[in-house]
Amino acid sequence: MHQVTTPREEQPMVTAVALAGDAALAVEVLELRAQNEQLSRALKSRAVIDQARGMVMALAPCSSERAWDLLVDVSQHCNVKLRNVAAALVATTQDEPLPEQIQRELPGALRRLRR
C-alpha cells in the first residue's frame, strides 16, 4: 500500500534533494571553471609556441613540423617545458638573453634537425 506523507513531512526530503542538486551543480561549476582555466593557459601557450616555431622556420629554414620537432628536442634535452623553451626564444626578440641551458642545446638540435 502507498504511504501518505504530509507537506510538513515532505519538506526535509525536498530540502535534501535541492541541496544535493545544488552540490552537484557546484561541483560541475568548479570543474568547468578549472577546465576553462586550463584551456585559457593552453591557448596562451600555443600562441607563444607558434611564434617560436615561426622563428625557427625563418632561421633554420625548415617546415613547421620540423620546427616543432626542434622545439620538442630542445625541451626534452634541457628537461624544460616546451612552452618555456618557446617563451625563451620569443623573449630574445625583446633583447632577453637565451638561458644558457637552451643556448648550449640549440646548436645540437639544429644539427639533428638537418640530418
Side-chain angles (χ1 to χ4, degrees), residues 78 84-85 87-89 92 96-105:
C78 293
N84 295 340
V85 170
L89 283 174
T92 63
E96 291 288 326
L98 199 57
E100 285 184 37
Q101 187 180 21
I102 295 173
Q103 263 183 2
R104 283 192 309 268
E105 187 53 42

Side-chain angles (χ1 to χ4, degrees), residues 29-62:
V29 166
L30 289 174
E31 288 172 352
L32 289 172
R33 284 183 179 165
Q35 185 179 27
N36 187 32
E37 180 62 31
Q38 182 182 11
L39 289 171
S40 179
R41 281 193 311 269
L43 283 174
K44 289 175 187 170
S45 293
R46 189 62 186 199
V48 171
I49 292 169
D50 286 344
Q51 288 173 357
R53 282 172 85 174
M55 290 173 66
V56 172
M57 290 168 61
L59 297 171
C62 62

Side-chain angles (χ1 to χ4, degrees), residues 49 71 74-76 78-88 102:
I49 292 169
L71 292 172
V74 171
S75 170
Q76 289 176 344
C78 293
N79 197 27
V80 174
K81 290 188 181 284
L82 179 67
R83 68 176 173 259
N84 295 340
V85 170
I102 295 173

Side-chain angles (χ1 to χ4, degrees), residues 8 10 22 28 32 35 39 64 84 89 95 98 112:
R8 187 176 200 144
E10 288 179 351
D22 287 347
E28 184 176 358
L32 289 172
Q35 185 179 27
L39 289 171
S64 178
N84 295 340
L89 283 174
D95 296 326
L98 199 57
R112 289 186 291 276

